Amino acid sequence: MSTQNPDPAAPGRGARPLRRRLLDEAARVLAEEGPGALSARRLVRAVGASTMAVYTHFGSMPELVREVMKEGVERFLARVREVPPDADPVRELAGLCRAYQEFARAEPHVYAVLFGGSALAGFELSETDRSMGVALLRFPRDAIRRCAGAGRFHADTDADLLVRQLFAQMHGLAQLTRAGYILGRYGPDDVLAGLLRDLAVAAGDNPTQATTSVRSGLAG
C-alpha cells in the first residue's frame, strides 16, 4: 500500500475545501491589493497547494475570477433567502436590506469583487457577468411590488426604478461603512433605518407604519 500523500490539487475528496480556499484568497487579494497582485503562484503558496490546483479547479486565472463572482452571488443569495416573504412587505424589504449590509460587512473581499467595478487580473466583467449581480435585485423589487399591492406604497410605484435607487443607496452605505466614514452620533445601522424609513414614506407609506415596519425588519 502506498503511503504517498494525495495531490492537494486533485479533484475528489478534499477538493471543495481547497477550491473554497483558493476563491477566498483570490477575493482577498483582489479587494485589498488589486489585480496586479494576483497570480497563480501567490494563491497556491497562500493555501498550501501546487500551481496545478488553479488550473485543475478553474482552467485559467480569468475563469477563477469569474468563479469568485459566481461564488459571491451564491453566498449573497444564501443570506437573502433567509428573509421569507412577509405579510408586512415593508418589513420584508427592510429585512432584505439588512441582509445586504450584513453580507457586505461579513464578506468585504467577496463584496468588493462583486461590486467594486475594477478590471480584475486582466478579466473584464461582461454584461452576462454583471447580470448575475443585478439579478439579486429581483428580491427587493418583488417586495416593493407587494408594498404597492398592499396599499403601503403608491399604486403607480415604478418598482424597477425604485429598486435601482435603493441599490445605489445600499452600495453607497456599504462602501462608506467599510471606509470608516460613518462617524459621530449616528452609526451605519441608524443611517440604514433612516434611509429606509424615508424611502418608504416617499413611496407613499404612513410615517408611523414605516418606522415600525423598518425597525422590525432590521431587528431580524
Side-chain angles (χ1 to χ4, degrees):
M1 179 183 298
S2 172
T3 59
Q4 184 178 5
N5 291 328
D7 182 356
R13 184 176 182 181
R16 182 166 176 78
L18 174 57
R19 181 179 183 278
R20 174 58 64 85
R21 293 199 303 274
L22 286 166
L23 288 169
D24 287 345
E25 181 63 14
R28 187 195 66 77
V29 172
L30 287 168
E32 291 186 353
E33 303 178 47
L38 187 65
S39 69
R41 181 172 296 179
R42 174 169 182 172
L43 290 180
V44 298
R45 184 169 62 246
V47 302
S50 67
T51 305
M52 186 57 65
V54 170
Y55 304 99
T56 297
H57 289 285
F58 304 103
S60 68
M61 287 297 291
E63 284 306 309
L64 182 148
V65 174
R66 178 171 275 111
E67 287 301 314
V68 169
M69 182 172 186
K70 289 180 180 177
E71 181 81 5
V73 169
E74 288 304 314
R75 294 193 201 183
F76 206 143
L77 277 172
R79 288 179 180 268
V80 167
R81 286 171 175 153
E82 291 178 355
V83 181
D86 197 306
D88 179 344
V90 177
R91 180 168 59 199
E92 178 187 345
L93 184 61
L96 291 169
C97 292
R98 170 178 48 81
Y100 185 112
Q101 294 300 318
E102 287 176 348
F103 175 81
R105 295 175 196 176
E107 308 217 38
H109 309 314
V110 176
Y111 181 87
V113 172
L114 272 173
F115 301 119
S118 60
L120 306 173
F123 169 72
E124 291 281 356
L125 293 178
S126 67
E127 185 174 341
T128 299
D129 295 323
R130 290 190 178 92
S131 293
M132 288 191 293
V134 173
L136 295 167
L137 296 182
R138 72 182 184 272
F139 295 94
R141 181 203 62 199
D142 290 348
I144 289 170
R145 287 175 175 169
R146 287 193 289 276
C147 289
R152 299 288 296 274
F153 289 3
H154 298 304
D156 62 352
T157 294
D158 186 336
D160 289 322
L161 176 59
L162 188 57
V163 78
R164 283 164 172 77
Q165 293 172 319
L166 181 60
F167 184 28
Q169 291 176 314
M170 289 298 99
H171 181 62
L173 178 58
Q175 293 288 80
L176 290 171
T177 298
R178 185 181 182 195
Y181 279 105
I182 307 297
L183 301 169
R185 177 181 176 184
Y186 297 107
D189 291 341
D190 301 310
V191 174
L192 178 61
L195 71 84
L196 290 175
R197 182 194 62 240
D198 292 348
L199 179 141
V201 171
D205 203 10
N206 172 276
T208 300
Q209 282 186 295
T211 299
T212 300
S213 294
V214 167
R215 183 180 295 122
S216 178
L218 295 182

